[in-house]
Amino acid sequence: YPTPKPDPKTEFLKKGEGDLIKTKRLDGSPDVKPSPPKAGAYKRRDNPPNSAFRRFYERGDLPIAVDHRGSKNVIAWKVEIEKLDYHHYLPIFFDGIRETQEPYRFLAVKGVEDMLKVNAGPSLAHTLVRKREEEVQSAGGSKILPVIPQLIIPIK
């Protein structure tokens, strides 16, 4: 079926009236682009309940501090690592690995690494991890499960 041609003298578009040109859609509805999702960079992150590491660090009971050096941070030990009571401090540092906020997470991970490098070795770490797992299971919790991969890396 041939469509009748519009009369060029009466049926024409004036400047700015072309819906197809403005919206690039035939139905005349405006083309709305969805906004990108929020990245959440400034959103407060969930943190597990305060760990023993966080409590001890905020009270100043741990012999560590953050030493800001140029491009990276390091741990400044206030006491020689060899003189620390590993049976007291190492479980506290292992507990701090589950922290998600800085500087707690950084201090806990690097603290465990430093303590295991210097003196304790894997045997003490295995004993302490087993002891910690027994404590958690006797309390009926499973809060160590998400952290197992982060515990294995320092022990190797």
Side-chain angles (χ1 to χ4, degrees):
Y1 299 90
T3 56
K5 290 190 172 189
D7 183 22
K9 293 184 179 179
T10 58
E11 298 177 16
F12 59 88
L13 293 176
K14 294 182 182 174
K15 183 177 178 181
E17 291 181 349
D19 289 334
L20 179 63
I21 294 171
K22 281 196 253 179
T23 62
K24 296 183 182 174
R25 298 187 74 169
L26 295 174
D27 60 357
S29 62
D31 188 18
V32 178
K33 291 184 179 180
S35 61
K38 293 193 181 247
Y42 299 105
K43 184 177 143 189
R44 189 102 170 134
R45 294 186 183 118
D46 292 335
N47 190 42
N50 284 347
S51 62
F53 180 83
R54 180 183 285 233
R55 262 195 340 266
F56 282 110
Y57 181 73
E58 287 175 350
R59 282 194 319 212
D61 292 342
L62 296 177
I64 56 172
V66 179
D67 186 12
H68 302 282
R69 290 193 183 165
S71 63
K72 66 178 186 175
N73 296 333
V74 293
I75 290 182
W77 290 92
K78 298 175 185 175
V79 180
E80 293 179 24
I81 300 176
E82 297 86 18
K83 295 182 180 179
L84 291 176
D85 180 12
Y86 277 71
H87 289 282
H88 175 71
Y89 285 111
L90 199 55
I92 294 172
F93 277 87
F94 269 118
D95 189 40
I97 291 178
R98 68 187 176 101
E99 287 285 345
T100 57
Q101 293 180 339
E102 300 295 337
Y104 308 107
R105 177 166 176 71
F106 163 75
L107 288 170
V109 171
K110 292 300 180 186
V112 168
E113 287 176 7
D114 290 352
M115 291 174 78
L116 293 179
K117 280 181 190 173
V118 170
N119 198 5
S123 60
L124 178 61
H126 286 293
T127 306
L128 292 171
V129 168
R130 270 191 245 116
K131 179 183 169 189
R132 181 73 178 139
E133 285 176 345
E134 291 170 4
E135 290 173 3
V136 169
Q137 288 178 356
S138 66
S142 61
K143 64 181 176 182
I144 202 165
L145 292 178
V147 213
I148 287 178
Q150 294 152 351
L151 293 174
I152 292 172
I153 292 169
I155 292 173
K156 284 183 179 180

